[in-house]
Amino acid sequence: MIRLEGLTKRYGSFTAVDGIDLEARRGELFGLLGPNGAGKTSTLRMIAGILRPDAGRVLVDGFDVVGDPYRAKARLGYIPDRPFVYEKLTGTELLRFVAGLYGQQGPEIEDRIRELLALWDLEGWADELVEAYSHGMRQKLIISSALVHRPRALVIDEPMVGLDPRAARLLKDLLRAFADSGGTALISTHTLEFAEALCDRLAVIAEGRIIALGTMDELRAQAESAESGLEQVFLRLTGGESQRELMRVLAG
Amino acid sequence: MDADAVDARSFAASDPISAGRTIRVLLQPKLLSALGRGVSGRTLGRRIPTLLLSAAGAFVLLFLVATRLLGGLREVPEVGPLLASKLLGLALLLFFGILLLSNLIAALSSFFLARDLATVHEAPVDWFGLYGARLLETLAGSSWMVLLMLLPVLAAYQSVYGGGPLFYGLVLLTLVPYLLIPAALGSAITLVLVRVFPARRTRDILAFVSVIAGALLVVGLRVLRPERLVNPEGFRNLVDFLEVLRAPSSPWLPSEWMAQTLIGHLEGGFDPFWLWLLWSTAAALVAGGAWLHFRLYPRGFTRAQQGAESGRRGSALWTAFARLLAPLGLERREMILKDARLFFRDATQWSQLLVLGVLLFVYVYNIQVLPIRSNEIMSRFLVSMVVFLNLALAGFILAAVAARFVFPAYSLEGRTLWLLRSSPLEPDTFVWSKYWSGAVPLLVLALLLTLLTNRILAVGPGIMALSLVSICALTLALVAQALAWGVAMPRFETGNAAQIPTSLGGMLFMLGALGTLAAVLVSQFLALRGYVRSGLPWRETRDPTGVELGIALGATLAITLVTGVWPYLVAKRRIREVGVPG
């Protein structure tokens, strides 16, 4: 459903994403893990069509995001890590505007907007300006905006930021149901418990390259760390384990 | 813990060493990021020469115009030097008004709304250092453009009237307090406003107040009737006229003190009193501002962080507007509807419409009272000249309005651009929407201005048709240029629409717009010179011929087509390439 082929992004002489190949299949929740600055956000922004790749390509449902952006983006919903939206629109107006960008309007969309706002307990805020929303409420609104046009694939950058435990649980259930109904989600996260509990497959990315890819068991095998949790596997793969041991020695 | 308690603790006594260090530390990132914005990335090669060339070009142009004007005045015995002195006072007064308004808005941003304030307040910063750093930041942000316009004028005074190197020393000595006074005053007024009015409404109130003040300034200047000074016949005798010229026009204002210091030196009668007045006022205002900052800032800052506007926003008016836009298609309709909502819900933007209203009034009023009919022999010639002047001034107003409303359109999308870029919205649709949502209101304004003023001037149908087509073509070209410069040199980091046009890109747009306007005027004048000359008293009067009008129209359309279509295409190309702020 989401296929990356030799995806590369450079900022001047710095290569943020270095020839990544991966595929998130239909009905799959795919986790993207990696230390800060590994290239996760750049990768997701290229998939969403916000950044242009310097080499390689992104296919969404077979459509090239650069070559055929209209059809590729129409199938995609993007949730960024920081909830910047138009502060002087109301929640309803924002969702209606986003639906309009995807060429959708009418009674069905109005019902969908009401349904999404109700899902996140935002009905009472529907006609309030976004500037009055808290950080978590904005995050809920952005998740709603990514779902309003009924996408086939979701690209999510740090989904849990700002969400209260109840909303976090709701998001997990929502993503599972989305995948069960044939949707695909590519999720970048630092919340390892979330990734371990939810994702069908995971990729660990460091210095712009994929250093491990597979199911949780396959990652354990690659890290030669049988029976250990994702945190251990992650630290071993990304070189953080040695630092942790050093800290332990220094702490006496 | 109570927020005020935290603030009170950090507002302990200040000492000069830690205050100085704080100022340096706080200003360093601003300086670095300002330099970074000028020289960053792949635009390095293009941007620096463009910046230097534009600044040098503007400087030389202003210097030449001012030198020519002052040189001409110098030739007029007795009255000339007095007029030159009066002109400097008026220019400094106008700049002082602009500086005060600009500082009011800049202070709100740097003292209360800047994104880095949370980080600064978490650190144990010296309170006076914070005040000093933010005051200097406010001053720099508000003053650089005025400086760019003022320095060539002052250089022209030195060039025409002499004064030696000491003149430049005096310029420096007077400029510092001249800029510091409106910065300290503006910051203090903003501080009091934030303390009095609830929370973030201050921003709206300030925008409104500054717009009203600006409007009053313009109307006030008009009511002063400066044209009397160039019409000595209006005075009973020459002595009266000279008396008016000699008297300081605004002795209570720092602009006059600066003018008196500089003119005094040029005339060989330097009086240190004015300089002393400038510095002592600046020092008193900075000290008073610091005291107010110490007393009011902690609670004011806390209030500025509270509460946002809320309430039901759905209205029948928006629904009707949406229906009206329906034929444009869904995406275009939603884009225009969204922009209109954001515009009318942001007081910093809609309040500028009041300025437009005032400009329109003053402009039409000026045309109405023009003394062109007092001399019947010359009136036909003057009317034909005023038609050109009218096009020039209307074009200038439109350029200024485009700089205010169209140039910031892309920058204001800022951090929300991800939403548009990740959607299937075609970049062409985006540019189309931005272009026409700016062009349509401007076309209405342009047509209204030209129709009204041409009717007052009672021009013939040929000239009326030429004026209307020209102003429409010019408007369409200027909007394209404003959009293209706005896309090419966006200012994503500021949320204040009024500040965006004061950027380098805004200045370059204005230069380009004025160049386009000059090209249209020159080509029209050349095409119609036979008709203009026919208005001279010793010639037989006639209407412009079809060929003359045709050539003028053809030249105008050709110039505006090239200077309109090309930037539009550039905007479309750039929008695909330009990055989204993180």
Side-chain angles (χ1 to χ4, degrees):
Chain A
M1 184 69 192
I2 298 175
R3 192 182 169 88
L4 314 184
E5 294 176 355
L7 197 66
T8 304
K9 183 71 200 171
R10 295 183 201 96
Y11 300 105
S13 58
F14 172 68
T15 304
V17 179
D18 196 0
I20 285 184
D21 294 291
L22 68 80
E23 183 174 12
R25 300 171 198 134
R26 204 174 294 275
E28 187 174 49
L29 296 179
F30 193 103
L32 203 58
L33 311 175
N36 294 329
K40 302 185 298 296
T41 296
S42 291
T43 304
L44 296 195
R45 286 178 148 224
M46 282 189 280
I47 299 170
I50 295 170
L51 281 180
R52 256 175 189 257
D54 291 313
R57 60 179 188 159
V58 177
L59 298 173
V60 177
D61 206 10
F63 298 106
D64 189 332
V65 169
V66 175
D68 193 355
Y70 188 86
R71 282 196 276 195
K73 289 176 180 180
R75 285 158 173 77
L76 208 65
Y78 172 60
I79 302 169
D81 55 342
R82 280 178 284 182
F84 293 120
V85 279
Y86 302 107
E87 304 243 319
K88 297 281 183 187
L89 292 186
T90 66
T92 305
E93 285 168 355
L94 180 80
L95 295 183
R96 202 177 286 140
F97 168 67
V98 174
L101 294 179
Y102 286 81
Q104 297 185 15
Q105 62 176 336
E108 199 189 317
I109 279 296
E110 296 301 321
D111 288 345
R112 176 82 169 154
I113 290 171
R114 270 193 293 276
E115 181 188 297
L116 284 166
L117 291 174
L119 180 73
W120 296 108
D121 290 333
L122 290 176
E123 313 106 300
W125 292 81
D127 294 319
E128 300 296 322
L129 298 187
V130 173
E131 68 181 7
Y133 285 32
S134 71
H135 184 89
M137 286 159 72
R138 287 171 194 226
Q139 186 70 6
K140 291 173 183 175
L141 192 65
I142 284 180
I143 296 171
S144 303
S145 77
L147 293 168
V148 74
H149 61 288
R150 296 185 189 278
R152 295 183 197 177
L154 285 172
V155 175
I156 312 172
D157 201 353
E158 285 301 339
M160 310 302 274
V161 176
L163 294 183
D164 58 49
R166 186 164 169 266
R169 176 60 194 260
L170 183 62
L171 179 66
K172 280 182 201 168
D173 294 346
L174 202 141
L175 288 174
R176 192 70 266 167
F178 179 71
D180 290 345
S181 64
T184 304
L186 188 64
I187 308 159
S188 159
T189 182
H190 287 300
T191 317
L192 299 180
E193 305 83 48
F194 174 85
E196 191 169 6
L198 199 70
C199 293
D200 303 310
R201 283 197 305 150
L202 298 151
V204 180
I205 182 170
E207 293 174 358
R209 294 198 192 98
I210 290 180
I211 53 168
L213 191 153
T215 61
M216 197 54 224
D217 286 339
E218 286 166 346
L219 286 189
R220 279 193 198 103
Q222 286 174 53
E224 295 169 342
S225 177
E227 302 298 315
S228 49
L230 185 56
E231 187 182 2
Q232 240 80 34
V233 173
F234 178 81
L235 290 173
R236 192 170 282 261
L237 287 169
T238 55
E241 184 67 13
S242 54
Q243 284 171 22
R244 217 158 82 153
E245 275 165 22
L246 182 66
M247 291 295 287
R248 223 176 283 136
V249 172
L250 287 173
Chain B
M1 193 190 292
D2 179 21
D4 286 338
V6 175
D7 289 326
R9 193 184 55 197
S10 63
F11 269 63
S14 167
D15 73 84
I17 294 169
S18 68
R21 196 187 307 125
T22 305
I23 292 176
R24 205 176 57 244
V25 169
L26 290 180
L27 287 181
Q28 207 167 26
K30 306 278 173 181
L31 264 175
L32 289 174
S33 61
L35 285 173
R37 201 163 50 223
V39 300
S40 67
R42 65 197 180 91
T43 53
L44 172 75
R46 278 179 293 170
R47 196 166 285 189
I48 290 294
T50 315
L51 185 129
L52 289 176
L53 266 177
S54 315
F59 189 97
V60 170
L61 193 75
L62 273 171
F63 175 76
L64 289 177
V65 170
T67 311
R68 182 81 194 251
L69 180 74
L70 293 172
L73 283 178
R74 203 183 181 186
E75 301 305 312
V76 185
E78 195 71 32
V79 182
L82 287 175
L83 266 178
S85 145
K86 206 78 184 168
L87 265 179
L88 183 64
L90 273 176
L92 288 172
L93 175 66
L94 183 72
F95 285 138
F96 188 78
I98 294 171
L99 281 170
L100 189 60
L101 289 177
S102 165
N103 274 298
L104 273 169
I105 295 178
L108 188 69
S109 178
S110 51
F111 279 93
F112 295 99
L113 300 174
R115 291 198 178 101
D116 64 342
L117 277 170
T119 316
V120 171
H121 284 292
E122 273 168 19
V125 291
D126 179 277
W127 70 268
F128 186 73
L130 175 66
Y131 172 72
R134 295 290 149 162
L135 182 69
L136 288 176
E137 197 186 319
T138 306
L139 184 148
S142 308
S143 310
W144 71 270
M145 212 159 180
V146 165
L147 259 186
L148 205 68
M149 288 191 279
L150 188 56
L151 286 177
V153 174
L154 294 175
Y157 270 87
Q158 200 275 341
S159 157
V160 173
Y161 290 95
L166 189 61
F167 179 78
Y168 288 113
L170 274 180
V171 164
L172 191 70
L173 270 176
T174 48
L175 258 182
V176 174
Y178 174 74
L179 298 177
L180 206 52
I181 288 169
L185 196 60
S187 305
I189 293 172
T190 300
L191 186 60
V192 173
L193 277 174
V194 172
R195 189 68 184 81
V196 174
F197 293 106
R200 281 176 186 268
R201 301 300 303 167
T202 303
R203 182 171 144 160
D204 295 352
I205 291 162
L206 200 55
F208 188 77
V209 166
S210 59
V211 162
I212 294 288
L216 288 177
L217 186 78
V218 174
V219 173
L221 276 176
R222 186 66 199 89
V223 172
L224 279 174
R225 293 173 60 210
E227 69 270 19
R228 280 183 311 156
L229 295 177
V230 291
N231 184 20
E233 288 89 357
F235 294 86
R236 271 183 297 137
N237 55 43
L238 189 64
V239 179
D240 277 2
F241 181 61
L242 290 176
E243 272 314 305
V244 169
L245 288 183
R246 279 206 184 97
S249 42
S250 42
W252 297 103
L253 289 177
S255 54
E256 191 63 28
W257 308 339
M258 180 170 173
Q260 291 295 333
T261 309
L262 296 178
I263 293 294
H265 171 72
L266 290 178
E267 289 175 349
F270 170 68
D271 184 352
F273 170 72
W274 301 108
L275 196 60
W276 177 83
L277 210 53
L278 267 172
W279 275 102
S280 55
T281 307
L285 280 172
V286 171
W291 181 80
L292 269 178
H293 180 88
F294 180 76
R295 301 287 302 175
L296 302 182
Y297 184 69
R299 200 174 278 271
F301 179 75
T302 310
R303 282 173 72 95
Q305 310 311 304
Q306 292 164 355
E309 192 182 352
S310 65
R312 292 187 73 83
R313 291 282 144 177
S315 78
L317 214 62
W318 286 119
T319 314
F321 188 48
R323 281 208 192 99
L324 193 74
L325 297 174
L328 299 177
L330 183 57
E331 287 93 341
R332 287 172 179 175
R333 183 192 75 186
E334 286 301 326
M335 278 298 293
I336 293 175
L337 205 56
K338 183 264 296 175
D339 282 342
R341 282 186 170 124
L342 298 184
F343 181 84
F344 285 106
R345 287 173 185 172
D346 184 353
T348 61
Q349 293 203 62
W350 66 255
S351 58
Q352 294 177 52
L353 289 177
L354 296 172
V355 175
L356 256 185
V358 170
L359 267 179
L360 201 69
F361 164 76
V362 170
Y363 185 69
V364 174
Y365 173 77
N366 278 341
I367 297 281
Q368 179 91 51
V369 298
L370 267 181
I372 50 175
R373 306 220 171 267
S374 59
N375 185 340
E376 281 305 320
I377 302 168
M378 287 297 285
S379 88
R380 195 182 160 86
F381 176 71
L382 287 175
V383 166
S384 62
M385 287 304 291
V386 167
V387 168
F388 287 107
L389 190 68
N390 193 19
L391 183 66
L393 288 175
F396 182 76
I397 289 176
L398 287 168
V401 175
R404 274 284 181 212
F405 296 106
V406 184
F407 178 78
Y410 182 66
S411 296
L412 286 173
E413 290 288 346
R415 289 168 185 270
T416 51
L417 259 182
W418 67 268
L419 195 61
L420 302 177
R421 292 291 285 265
S422 63
S423 80
L425 181 79
E426 288 282 344
D428 291 2
T429 310
F430 175 83
V431 176
W432 188 97
S433 309
K434 291 286 178 196
Y435 180 79
W436 286 106
S437 52
V440 170
L442 250 77
L443 276 174
V444 173
L445 175 72
L447 284 171
L448 204 69
L449 260 180
T450 315
L451 258 173
L452 268 173
T453 48
N454 274 358
R455 277 192 73 95
I456 293 168
L457 293 168
V459 301
I463 293 291
M464 174 68 100
L466 176 68
S467 302
L468 291 177
V469 176
S470 301
I471 202 73
C472 287
L474 201 58
T475 304
L476 294 176
L478 294 185
V479 171
Q481 289 176 23
L483 190 63
W485 280 113
V487 171
M489 300 179 85
R491 284 280 303 269
F492 291 127
E493 70 274 22
T494 172
N496 188 345
Q499 274 182 352
I500 298 170
T502 61
S503 66
L504 172 68
M507 197 178 74
L508 290 176
F509 158 67
M510 279 307 282
L511 285 176
L514 295 183
T516 309
L517 188 58
V520 167
L521 283 169
V522 168
S523 66
Q524 286 202 358
F525 186 78
L526 289 176
L528 292 167
R529 61 186 185 280
Y531 156 71
V532 175
R533 281 195 199 127
S534 78
L536 288 168
W538 55 89
R539 294 209 179 207
E540 193 179 336
T541 57
R542 65 169 175 85
D543 286 329
T545 64
V547 176
E548 285 173 334
L549 286 171
I551 294 173
L553 189 65
T556 303
L557 291 179
I559 293 165
T560 49
L561 203 69
V562 172
T563 57
V565 171
W566 181 61
Y568 188 86
L569 295 177
V570 169
K572 279 211 313 195
R573 188 167 52 80
R574 284 283 298 175
I575 218 102
R576 290 173 191 275
E577 294 169 356
V578 82
V580 173

